[in-house]
Amino acid sequence: MSKNKGRVRAIHVMAQANFESWMYSSRTCFMFLFVTAFCYVVCGNHAQAIQGLNMHWGETLFYILYNGCNITMTSILFLITISEIPQRMGYQYNMLIRSNRIDWLYSQLLYCVWMVLAMTLLVVFCASVFVLPSVIFKSGWSEDLRIAQGIITEEEALVPSFIRQNFTPFSACLYALLPMFLFWITMVSVVLVFSLFGAPVIGLVFYALMLMGNVVFMVEMIAGIPMPIYYATLNNITVGWPEKEFVKYNQAMVGYVVVLLTLFIIMFFRVKRIDLEFDSARRM
């Protein structure tokens, strides 16, 4: 039992050191400022669109998360701050003496989860605050009332019917956040895999192309498969699939799980076969 506690503590300490180094870097601070600014612009544009509709706070927040809150630009900013995974910090040699390669890998994965959580919480917090001037605090879906009164039609509703019929605004926000969270987890995992193979820059370029390929190369699909960005938001996953929204959503979630498990298996075997280097003047 004490040995397991020691392993957990070592994993936690290594992950915490990496996370604190990332959080307090000037690059991350600037990223947070720019993401906040993007959220402000998105929420301001949405406020103009819903002016006079008296939409509720929860459903307004859901609609912003449903569309990803400009996830392409926020993801690119996030990608810039994770250019060095794993963090090159010399003290980790001492930690490796007290742990092992697999525990080190677990610490990197935990560090990645914490980064994505920080990014997700930032977007949710900013969106929650910036929509306050344009909403009212009531529960439920205001659009159901407007549809019943004949003010708008079902086709004009901002929130899809399958969401309003099956979720509260709070649970719908969580439902919309999951694809964003898994998209970012996959992104940092891909960068980590490339770093373990000694090519972190290639990992960054590769995922940047996945984010912007439809704009740079005017390509919507590769071999019939949409770009990963199309699986980043609930809107992209479910739009155009009436009465099949849950099926498409579940398929996307299963796809994420398969990809993440594959990446973890690659990392697991790779980390056993490389020399770990943490000197900031050198690169793996």
Side-chain angles (χ1 to χ4, degrees):
M1 181 65 70
S2 60
K3 184 177 180 180
N4 290 335
K5 286 184 178 180
R7 286 188 62 192
V8 172
R9 176 175 173 76
I11 292 170
H12 182 271
V13 169
M14 286 188 286
Q16 184 177 1
N18 280 272
F19 182 71
E20 290 179 354
S21 175
W22 176 79
M23 275 291 293
Y24 299 134
S25 69
S26 58
R27 183 165 47 182
T28 301
C29 292
F30 279 113
M31 182 270 289
F32 283 167
L33 289 175
F34 279 109
V35 169
T36 301
F38 276 119
C39 288
Y40 179 79
V41 172
V42 170
C43 293
N45 292 337
H46 183 64
Q48 294 180 356
I50 66 172
Q51 189 173 10
L53 295 180
N54 293 325
M55 289 190 69
H56 300 168
W57 178 70
E59 64 181 341
T60 304
L61 178 60
F62 163 76
Y63 184 73
I64 291 173
L65 298 177
Y66 172 69
N67 289 288
C69 197
N70 200 348
I71 194 168
T72 300
M73 293 307 301
T74 53
S75 296
I76 290 175
L77 290 170
F78 187 28
L79 191 63
I80 294 172
T81 68
I82 60 172
S83 59
E84 277 197 351
I85 302 179
Q87 291 276 353
R88 269 60 173 183
M89 294 183 294
Y91 95 97
Q92 292 197 76
Y93 284 121
N94 297 327
M95 292 304 302
L96 278 172
I97 295 174
R98 295 170 175 81
S99 60
N100 55 60
R101 291 168 177 265
I102 301 303
D103 288 349
W104 176 85
L105 177 59
Y106 289 152
S107 74
Q108 295 303 306
L109 295 174
L110 181 59
Y111 161 51
C112 290
V113 170
W114 286 351
M115 284 194 298
V116 173
L117 278 175
M119 185 69 175
T120 304
L121 291 175
L122 175 66
V123 170
V124 172
F125 175 78
C126 291
S128 300
V129 172
F130 293 148
V131 300
L132 290 178
S134 58
V135 301
I136 59 176
F137 287 92
K138 288 186 178 180
S139 61
W141 303 100
S142 66
E143 291 199 317
D144 285 338
L145 179 60
R146 286 194 293 275
I147 292 174
Q149 293 175 341
I151 299 175
I152 62 174
T153 64
E154 183 64 56
E155 290 72 21
E156 295 173 324
L158 296 177
V159 179
S161 60
F162 82 95
I163 292 292
R164 301 196 314 271
Q165 293 169 4
N166 294 281
F167 298 95
T168 64
F170 175 75
S171 60
C173 287
L174 296 179
Y175 194 69
L177 273 175
L178 184 57
M180 296 172 61
F181 181 83
L182 292 176
F183 177 77
W184 282 330
I185 283 287
T186 304
M187 183 174 75
V188 295
S189 298
V190 167
V191 175
L192 178 57
V193 166
F194 275 94
S195 294
L196 293 177
F197 280 91
V201 175
I202 295 178
L204 292 173
V205 173
F206 171 79
Y207 222 90
L209 290 176
M210 293 298 99
L211 288 169
M212 299 295 294
N214 59 326
V215 176
V216 176
F217 300 111
M218 305 298 291
V219 174
E220 299 290 335
M221 296 185 178
I222 298 177
I225 301 175
M227 290 289 190
I229 192 66
Y230 290 101
Y231 297 100
T233 66
L234 179 58
N235 183 17
N236 287 343
I237 293 172
T238 59
V239 69
W241 298 97
E243 300 183 2
K244 293 183 179 180
E245 294 91 350
F246 291 112
V247 173
K248 293 300 176 182
Y249 183 90
N250 292 337
Q251 288 176 347
M253 298 306 101
V254 170
Y256 274 123
V257 171
V258 171
V259 170
L260 288 171
L261 285 176
T262 302
L263 291 173
F264 175 74
I265 291 172
I266 294 172
M267 287 186 277
F268 181 83
F269 286 103
R270 177 61 180 171
V271 79
K272 290 184 174 182
R273 292 169 171 79
I274 61 174
D275 292 328
L276 297 175
E277 298 177 1
F278 301 111
D279 188 345
S280 60
R282 303 165 67 185
R283 290 295 179 266
M284 187 176 296

